[in-house]
Amino acid sequence: MHYIPHTEDDVRLMLDVIGVPSLDALFETVPEKLQLKAALALPRAAGERELLAEIAALAGQNANLETHDWFLGAGTYPHFIPAAVDAIASRSEFYTAYTPYQAEFSQGTLQVIFEWQTMIAGLTGLEVANASLYDGASAAAEAALMAMRVTRRSRVLVPAGLHPHYRDVLRTYLRGIQAEIVEPDSADAEALRASVDPQTACVVVQQPSFLGAVRDLRAVAEAAQAQGALLVVVVTEALSLALLAAPGAAGADIVCGEAQSFGVPMAFGGPHLGFLAARTRFLRQIPGRLVGQTVDSRGRRGFVLTLATREQHIRRERATSNICTNQGLCLLMATVYLALLGRKGLRRLAEMNLAKAEYAKARVRATPGLSLPVAQPSFNEFAVRVPDSAEASLGRALEQGAVGGLDLAPYAPELGPAVLVCTTELASREAIDRLIVALAGRAS
Amino acid sequence: MSDDGRRRVANASSGLAYEEPLLFERSRAGRLGCALDRLDVPERTPEQVLPESLLRDDVPELPELSEVDVIRHFTRLSTWNASVDLGLYPLGSCTMKYNPKLNEKVARLPGFAQLHPLQPAALAQGVLHLAHQLEGYLAEISGMDRICLQPAAGAQGELAGIMMIRAYHELRGSQCSRILIPDTAHGTNPASAALNGYEVVSVPTGDDGILHPEAVAAVMSPDVAALMITNPNTLGLFEEHVARIAEIVHAQGGLVYGDGANLNALLGVSRPGDHGIDVMHFNLHKTFSTPHGGGGPGAGPVGVKNILAPFLPVPAVRKLEGAEGEGYALDYEFPHSIGRLHGNFGNVGMFVRAYAYIRSLGPEGLRRCAEMAVLNANYVLARLRGTYHLPYDRRVMHECVPSDKNLEGTGVTAMDVAKRLIDYGYHPPTIYFPLIVPGALMIEPTESESLEGLDRFIDALLEIDREAREEPERVRGAPHHTPRSRFDEARAARRPVLRWQPEPSA
């Protein structure tokens, strides 16, 4: 067994030192009737070569970015990942390391987290960011819980536009405590002004919305804060932060969401990378880990986990959250990605995504049978109304080798037959042209 | 700034020990680290497409670096980390076992890494098959009836477990408000209970380091929703009375939650499902070798007995039968489900790794893990006996907990021992946990450590004991051989600096 070094000689020697005659004797504290009498009913051990072949065959059954053109976003985004990201993420000094509790032996990990916190604060336009959360959905839930702690209120407003899975996770998290979720139909500031009241802890608005709409957050912030509620902005497409007005600058109190777009593989939904940033005055209520700068005994700069009195291993049942792990390695991938693209590259990439979307939308407008039912501007994702049914349109797209988008029937039936289309830098002009034809159902 | 206006970064490096500044200090305007494609559609500026009020100019906090800068930066940072691949990482209850490289290879196959969670199930049959198989393996290993892979970490698995217990009681109309938790429990246990609105009642561990039925019976009542138990517990001891304790809890309508962090000791030997556990979580990043990643990602699947199956998170993976055809589908229609915990299915990348691991080991290999893990911990205990204080000097499972008590009078504490171990090249064990052992050193070697590796580690500990008596200052000033030593943590908390900011111009 190549992962376990012990030889029979080793075992004999060790049993001698311990003073027991056999391995079985080591389990003497396990009551006889709780000990298994037979081996587990599992497949026998596979050799490396045969196992690799078998697993590769399973992988081969799955459509993926290398086999199809991809126009499906809806919370998980198909982006190119430069080779340098995995080169660093494959370093075992990073991926086989533990949580950096022992700072002297973890400065690599700690400095990376400090760099991530800095960049997320800048991208969100807020003052402090944490060391990541499991994913965007749980980040949204943690943000709502945080707002409730900060305001000592128990009502959470979740207007339409939040990713349905995020809304589901929020409901699950809030069910266990005395909290109320109210779901207004609209995230427009006027509508929200009517719904926000002195019991409202926060208003949770996604930007761009689930259907891709971009709105002016300043009026939404004013509507929330007029009653002492916090504005929580949720971002599922992190790349949008490179181009859209920073939510923090627009008045958001907490900005959270999903950073998978920054160099983290889609991987059928996980592991991904939740982020959360907030105003400094809410610092003590932030969930998750925080890395801070300090000096050592000789005055040299370094980094440590800090403000741990918020966390489970210190405060136990009075912790701000029960979270223990963050998404360390995914955070590393994102930090490397952001370092590679940088100030200019990330902006250019966002502009490319916007240009692709504008091209696709122009083609939609020029194609009989297709239309754009959502009036607001968008970034790289938008709804397309199709003739007959989204299922038929997507079926045609698939025949041509494209995963054409998300069937919106279960999510926004009020739009009629429609598909949520995402165009990133991966979508070639030709692939977009083919998609438009497939969605419309006839040559245009 | 130097005279010629260029920022110079101090080069304090020496030999192969590199001092590495922050990305933002390395940044130079005009550098780029990526090669984007040429745009094949008409150029549009953001101002042509969106109103100005919706746009930003720039993100000045992002650095500008070449690919060389970036690779050097992170490669150098990596050399400042301890890691399993470098050496023993004996953290108690963390199971820092070897992370097989085959697992990394298969997780990166495009057929797993480049899948979208919302792609049609018909286009994802391979990954659904793998997930379904993994569920079956975990059920067999644990003796639980049904598995859900969704929770993203052990703590999220605990959250799910307690939520299911709450849903169970609510459906029955039982008004339970409390949860029993042993005083040796990991902090996430009470935190998860509190997140579900439960009051935590602590159950004292006996003098022999395990829970006794009388202690549980004394606090058990129909008002108690559940008992949470870790087995083996955080002292490394098998909870011998677990079956009787479960009976006591069940008799008054409560359920038993099993924290599966220490499952490594039981693989192929004993099953929580046979102990009376109703719901448990697994840590794929502990028992099942998926890497710790510097603090994640992990994965915390839950297992339940049929009594709690209606409450499992959605979606569930179902194998199609008979007229439905072949393959797998995702089911969402579970009226009593606690709902979604994760935006998608959980950390699928970790499922692939854990699957490869279980298939690589097979039933004999898994049992060998438990045997060698337990052998290693008992060997450490045996060799430390007579030098380090052993608060519970009895047969342990996969971890042992000596303490610093024998060092009283030297001025050397568990913290100092931990820091001095770093000078010997070891990441320290867990210290000051579990809380019932003052000055605890919680050591879990795992089965990955060889005999000679253990001997070197134990020799280091014995040497540090000698140093504590003969040259205590050497220990108390440790670590001496690392690039940084003894951080001012109070300052970090008092004056939090949580991001880099440019120096204000003069």
Side-chain angles (χ1 to χ4, degrees):
Chain A
M1 210 300 105
H2 57 313
Y3 303 144
I4 303 176
H6 303 69
T7 65
E8 289 313 314
D9 284 348
D10 293 335
V11 173
R12 251 192 306 275
L13 192 152
M14 294 169 77
L15 289 174
D16 251 357
V17 168
I18 295 167
V20 289
S22 69
L23 283 171
D24 286 345
L26 291 176
F27 292 98
E28 64 198 355
T29 57
V30 180
E32 174 65 21
K33 63 184 168 84
L34 297 184
Q35 291 201 27
L36 293 173
K37 305 296 183 284
L40 293 170
L42 296 171
R44 58 142 187 81
E48 182 168 334
R49 189 215 59 82
E50 63 182 320
L51 185 56
L52 179 58
E54 189 192 298
I55 296 179
L58 287 178
Q61 292 175 31
N62 306 317
N64 63 77
L65 287 186
E66 296 198 354
T67 61
H68 287 67
D69 291 316
W70 217 272
F71 297 94
L72 174 56
T76 302
Y77 295 92
H79 288 293
F80 181 70
I81 302 176
V85 173
D86 198 45
I88 296 298
S90 298
R91 293 189 71 82
S92 63
E93 296 92 335
F94 280 125
Y95 79 85
T96 72
Y98 183 63
T99 306
Y101 290 123
Q102 290 289 351
E104 288 98 336
F105 239 2
S106 318
Q107 286 299 291
T109 297
L110 287 162
Q111 184 166 332
V112 171
I113 297 174
F114 187 79
E115 292 168 345
W116 151 271
Q117 286 175 188
T118 302
M119 293 196 280
I120 291 296
L123 283 161
T124 58
L126 283 174
E127 293 140 22
V128 55
N130 77 0
S132 77
L133 297 166
Y134 306 134
D135 67 343
S138 66
E142 293 276 10
L145 290 171
M146 177 179 164
M148 291 171 62
R149 286 192 298 274
V150 165
T151 59
R152 296 179 209 259
R153 299 177 182 183
S154 57
R155 179 172 296 157
V156 175
L157 240 60
V158 184
L162 183 65
H163 193 298
H165 293 181
Y166 284 42
R167 188 203 55 216
D168 291 346
V169 171
L170 192 66
R171 283 181 185 153
T172 303
Y173 266 72
L174 263 54
R175 204 174 289 127
I177 55 177
Q178 307 296 347
E180 184 196 352
I181 300 179
V182 175
E183 302 187 36
D185 289 332
S186 161
D188 287 343
E190 295 71 48
L192 287 176
R193 248 186 285 278
S195 313
V196 180
D197 66 20
Q199 270 72 53
T200 307
C202 62
V203 180
V204 181
V205 172
Q206 180 171 319
Q207 174 89 317
S209 74
F210 179 65
L211 295 179
V214 179
R215 66 178 64 254
D216 192 328
L217 294 171
R218 290 170 302 177
V220 180
E222 279 155 22
Q225 288 151 2
Q227 297 274 8
L230 303 188
L231 174 58
V232 173
V233 173
V234 179
V235 178
T236 62
E237 171 45 303
L239 183 61
S240 67
L241 291 168
L243 193 141
L244 298 179
D253 299 290
I254 302 172
V255 181
C256 64
E258 180 57 66
Q260 171 267 322
S261 288
F262 294 154
V264 179
M266 299 197 300
F268 204 56
H272 285 173
L273 180 58
F275 71 88
L276 187 144
R279 305 208 169 276
T280 307
R281 66 178 182 273
F282 305 136
L283 180 56
R284 309 277 154 182
Q285 294 303 329
I286 288 184
R289 298 187 175 129
L290 286 169
V291 170
Q293 179 178 308
T294 185
V295 293
D296 78 341
S297 60
R298 286 172 43 189
R300 299 171 295 192
R301 181 179 76 181
F303 305 95
V304 294
L305 290 174
T306 192
L307 297 173
T309 49
R310 297 161 303 115
E311 295 187 71
Q312 51 79 24
H313 56 296
I314 309 288
R315 288 291 285 273
R316 298 173 71 91
E317 64 265 26
R318 289 189 312 282
T320 54
S321 168
N322 77 336
I323 191 170
C324 189
T325 52
N326 57 329
Q327 292 291 91
L329 197 70
C330 300
L331 180 157
L332 171 70
M333 294 173 189
T335 307
V336 175
Y337 179 89
L338 289 172
L340 289 168
L341 267 79
R343 184 173 176 174
K344 297 286 186 281
L346 199 70
R347 176 73 180 202
R348 175 64 187 159
L349 184 68
E351 289 174 356
M352 288 172 69
N353 275 244
L354 188 68
K356 299 273 191 177
E358 286 310 300
Y359 175 76
K361 285 167 92 168
R363 298 282 286 108
V364 166
R365 287 189 199 99
T367 303
L370 298 180
S371 63
L372 300 166
V374 176
Q376 287 104 320
S378 59
F379 172 53
N380 65 2
E381 191 160 42
F382 49 93
V384 178
R385 174 95 191 247
V386 298
D388 300 327
S389 78
E391 201 181 322
S393 290
L394 291 172
R396 287 190 292 269
L398 196 57
E399 277 162 31
Q400 292 169 29
V403 176
L406 183 73
D407 184 343
L408 284 172
Y411 304 101
E414 68 278 7
L415 296 182
V419 175
L420 187 64
V421 174
C422 174
T423 54
T424 70
E425 72 280 6
L426 297 188
S428 70
R429 181 186 189 132
E430 293 74 31
I432 294 174
D433 289 342
R434 282 194 298 272
L435 176 71
I436 300 302
V437 169
L439 291 179
R442 54 194 176 84
S444 60
Chain B
M1 289 276 202
S2 69
D3 286 343
D4 64 4
R6 287 180 296 167
R7 249 180 303 147
R8 292 194 188 282
V9 178
N11 183 14
S13 298
S14 148
L16 279 176
Y18 292 94
E19 289 282 337
E20 180 59 23
L22 291 162
L23 288 170
F24 323 102
E25 293 163 331
R26 260 191 177 270
S27 180
R28 294 286 181 274
R31 288 197 183 159
L32 192 63
C34 64
L36 296 175
D37 288 351
R38 196 184 49 80
L39 191 62
D40 61 356
V41 297
E43 289 281 354
R44 304 296 300 275
T45 66
E47 293 75 21
Q48 289 171 322
V49 177
L50 290 149
E52 218 177 299
S53 59
L54 297 183
L55 296 172
R56 76 195 295 169
D57 287 332
D58 199 4
V59 188
E61 292 80 359
L62 295 179
E64 296 182 71
L65 299 155
S66 73
E67 182 172 324
V68 182
D69 295 326
V70 174
I71 290 289
R72 285 215 174 123
H73 176 81
F74 290 101
T75 302
R76 289 177 175 187
L77 288 185
S78 77
T79 65
W80 284 39
N81 272 358
S83 61
V84 172
D85 277 9
L86 269 181
L88 175 64
Y89 224 116
L91 288 164
S93 283
C94 292
T95 314
M96 300 293 292
K97 65 170 71 182
Y98 175 68
N99 308 131
K101 305 317 168 200
L102 175 66
N103 299 359
E104 295 307 306
K105 184 166 178 162
V106 294
R108 284 168 168 76
L109 291 169
F112 294 120
Q114 313 271 39
L115 301 192
H116 191 289
L118 297 175
Q119 69 191 54
L123 300 178
Q125 289 293 300
V127 70
L128 292 175
H129 171 84
L130 184 147
H132 192 261
Q133 292 290 99
L134 179 61
E135 288 177 0
Y137 299 160
L138 293 178
E140 171 64 12
I141 287 166
S142 63
M144 306 306 284
D145 296 325
R146 292 276 308 279
I147 306 290
C148 171
L149 300 174
Q150 197 185 112
Q156 209 185 45
E158 280 178 38
L159 190 65
I162 304 302
M163 284 181 175
M164 287 192 277
I165 288 171
R166 198 187 74 232
Y168 166 88
H169 283 296
E170 273 172 12
L171 195 62
R172 288 161 61 96
S174 324
Q175 307 279 13
C176 297
S177 66
R178 298 194 278 164
I179 287 204
L180 305 181
I181 299 183
D183 54 9
T184 50
H186 189 272
T188 51
N189 285 186
S192 303
L195 275 169
N196 278 279
Y198 285 115
E199 184 197 327
V200 171
V201 176
S202 185
V203 187
T205 297
D207 291 337
D208 56 355
I210 59 176
L211 286 179
H212 285 263
E214 307 78 56
V216 175
V219 285
M220 186 60 207
S221 75
D223 183 44
V224 170
L227 166 80
M228 297 178 81
I229 189 169
T230 307
N231 192 13
N233 65 27
T234 57
L235 294 167
L237 303 173
F238 189 83
E239 291 283 4
E240 297 169 44
H241 307 295
V242 60
R244 176 76 195 110
I245 288 170
E247 274 170 17
I248 291 170
V249 174
H250 290 149
Q252 300 212 49
L255 296 174
V256 183
Y257 180 89
D259 180 324
N262 292 332
L263 189 62
N264 203 43
L266 303 182
L267 294 173
V269 172
S270 187
R271 305 196 306 180
D274 301 332
H275 301 173
I277 304 300
D278 300 297
V279 49
M280 67 175 284
H281 80 268
F282 304 82
N283 297 79
L284 296 189
H285 49 292
K286 297 185 180 186
T287 319
F288 297 100
S289 87
T290 75
H292 282 75
V302 286
V304 299
K305 290 295 178 63
N306 283 324
I307 183 181
L308 287 174
F311 310 101
L312 284 169
V314 285
V317 181
R318 178 168 59 83
K319 192 166 164 107
L320 301 176
E321 310 207 313
E324 285 178 312
E326 299 218 335
Y328 302 87
L330 290 163
D331 278 356
Y332 295 83
E333 292 311 308
F334 297 99
H336 298 300
S337 165
I338 58 172
R340 254 185 200 282
L341 270 173
H342 188 269
N344 299 297
F345 309 110
N347 289 342
V348 178
M350 285 23 223
F351 306 167
V352 180
R353 290 172 170 88
Y355 176 89
Y357 182 70
I358 293 170
R359 291 299 314 282
S360 296
L361 266 64
E364 288 82 24
L366 287 169
R367 181 161 174 127
R368 189 75 171 171
C369 279
E371 289 172 343
M372 295 302 103
V374 171
L375 179 70
N376 277 359
N378 279 284
Y379 182 77
V380 170
L381 191 79
R383 283 208 53 207
L384 289 181
R385 183 179 291 121
T387 308
Y388 282 84
H389 175 246
L390 303 173
Y392 301 94
D393 188 357
R394 41 189 296 233
R395 182 74 59 236
V396 294
M397 301 288 283
H398 65 306
E399 61 193 355
C400 62
V401 187
S403 83
D404 64 3
K405 187 158 189 226
N406 286 355
L407 293 171
E408 246 164 54
T410 65
V412 169
T413 65
M415 173 69 76
D416 301 321
V417 173
K419 298 297 186 190
R420 184 64 178 145
L421 269 171
I422 294 175
D423 283 334
Y424 283 84
Y426 295 102
H427 188 284
T430 309
I431 48 176
Y432 302 111
F433 184 83
L435 301 173
I436 65 167
V437 176
L441 291 156
M442 193 190 188
I443 298 172
E444 180 184 356
T446 84
E447 72 280 5
S448 304
E449 203 60 25
S450 67
L451 170 58
E452 66 271 19
L454 282 183
D455 277 333
R456 276 201 302 270
F457 172 67
I458 293 162
D459 289 344
L461 277 172
L462 297 176
E463 182 62 15
I464 292 170
D465 177 88
R466 185 200 64 73
E467 288 178 345
R469 295 167 200 292
E470 295 174 17
E471 336 160 54
E473 283 318 304
R474 191 138 185 72
V475 182
R476 291 172 59 198
H480 304 286
H481 302 317
T482 45
R484 298 291 183 267
S485 176
R486 301 272 183 161
F487 283 106
D488 187 345
E489 307 212 0
R491 167 178 165 154
R494 245 188 353 257
R495 292 189 266 153
V497 175
L498 304 170
R499 60 187 286 197
W500 178 83
Q501 287 186 306
E503 249 131 76
S505 346

